[in-house]
């Protein structure tokens, strides 16, 4: 892990580093690098990783849609992210991507079926963040994410 994450709280550093590596692997269409980063991300505390990654996705969605998201916006993000990933990643699953989007937005209705496995969640989160992040550096996204989590916890 590099020093680029030293400003983050210690529990978040390995999640940020693994996420950054996974997004870099996705961006480069490097299946080996992506798989290594996914394994590392899947090994993290899933509650903490889910909170951090879900918040990151929500913030990226809010940045891309400052006037709010409607159903057409969500459909567009879903279709765009699946299409972009499917061009090179045969494991992309639209249902898992929808699960992540709905979860990040707080609208997923639990129907009792088991959630996707941590490896699938990590893969699809990396693909989704890659689609949403644009030119922003991961350090900026992770810093904003942790700031948002801290703000929410202080206000609860």
């Amino acid at each position: 892990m590099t020093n680029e994450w030293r400003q983050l709280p210690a529990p978040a550093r390995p999640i940020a580093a693994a996420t950054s590596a996974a997004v870099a692997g996705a961006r480069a269409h490097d299946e080996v690098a992506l798989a290594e980063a996914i394994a590392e991300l899947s090994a993290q505390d899933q509650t903490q990783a889910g909170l951090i990654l879900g918040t990151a996705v929500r913030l990226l969605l809010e940045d891309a849609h400052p006037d709010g998201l409607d159903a057409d916006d969500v459909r567009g993000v879903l279709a765009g992210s699946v299409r972009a990933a499917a061009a090179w990643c045969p494991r992309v699953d639209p249902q898992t991507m929808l699960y992540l989007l709905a979860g990040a937005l707080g609208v997923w209705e639990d129907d009792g079926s088991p959630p996707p496995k941590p490896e699938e969640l990590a893969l699809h989160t990396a693909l989704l963040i890659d689609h949403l992040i644009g030119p922003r550096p991961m350090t900026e996204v992770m810093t904003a994410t942790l700031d948002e989590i801290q703000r929410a916890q202080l206000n609860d």
Side-chain angles (χ1 to χ4, degrees):
M1 186 176 351
T2 66
N3 285 333
E4 70 182 307
W5 304 112
R6 68 181 174 277
Q7 82 281 7
L8 298 181
R13 291 178 196 150
I15 295 168
T19 302
S20 182
V23 171
R27 176 144 298 160
H29 300 180
D30 183 339
E31 293 182 39
V32 174
L34 179 60
E36 290 172 359
I38 294 306
E40 180 63 31
L41 189 54
S42 300
Q44 302 304 313
D45 177 286
Q46 291 303 294
T47 301
Q48 288 184 356
L51 173 63
I52 292 168
L53 298 176
T55 302
V57 168
R58 181 179 55 78
L59 291 176
L60 289 168
L61 287 167
E62 289 174 355
D63 285 350
H65 301 88
D67 295 330
L69 281 98
D70 61 19
D72 289 336
D73 295 327
V74 174
R75 257 190 301 277
V77 169
L78 177 62
S81 59
V82 168
R83 190 173 25 259
W88 68 275
C89 182
R91 288 178 46 199
V92 69
D93 175 38
Q95 187 65 30
T96 302
M97 202 71 80
L98 176 61
Y99 177 89
L100 290 171
L101 281 169
L105 295 170
V107 296
W108 181 259
E109 293 198 23
D110 187 2
D111 63 359
S113 32
K117 294 181 179 177
E119 298 82 15
E120 290 304 307
L121 291 172
L123 168 67
H124 286 78
T125 302
L127 297 171
L128 183 56
I129 289 174
D130 175 43
H131 179 73
L132 294 171
I133 197 168
R136 292 177 70 182
M138 277 302 297
T139 51
E140 180 183 315
V141 172
M142 284 293 128
T143 300
T145 297
L146 272 288
D147 287 347
E148 176 65 19
I149 291 169
Q150 183 180 30
R151 197 171 14 264
Q153 289 175 344
L154 289 174
N155 291 327
D156 279 348

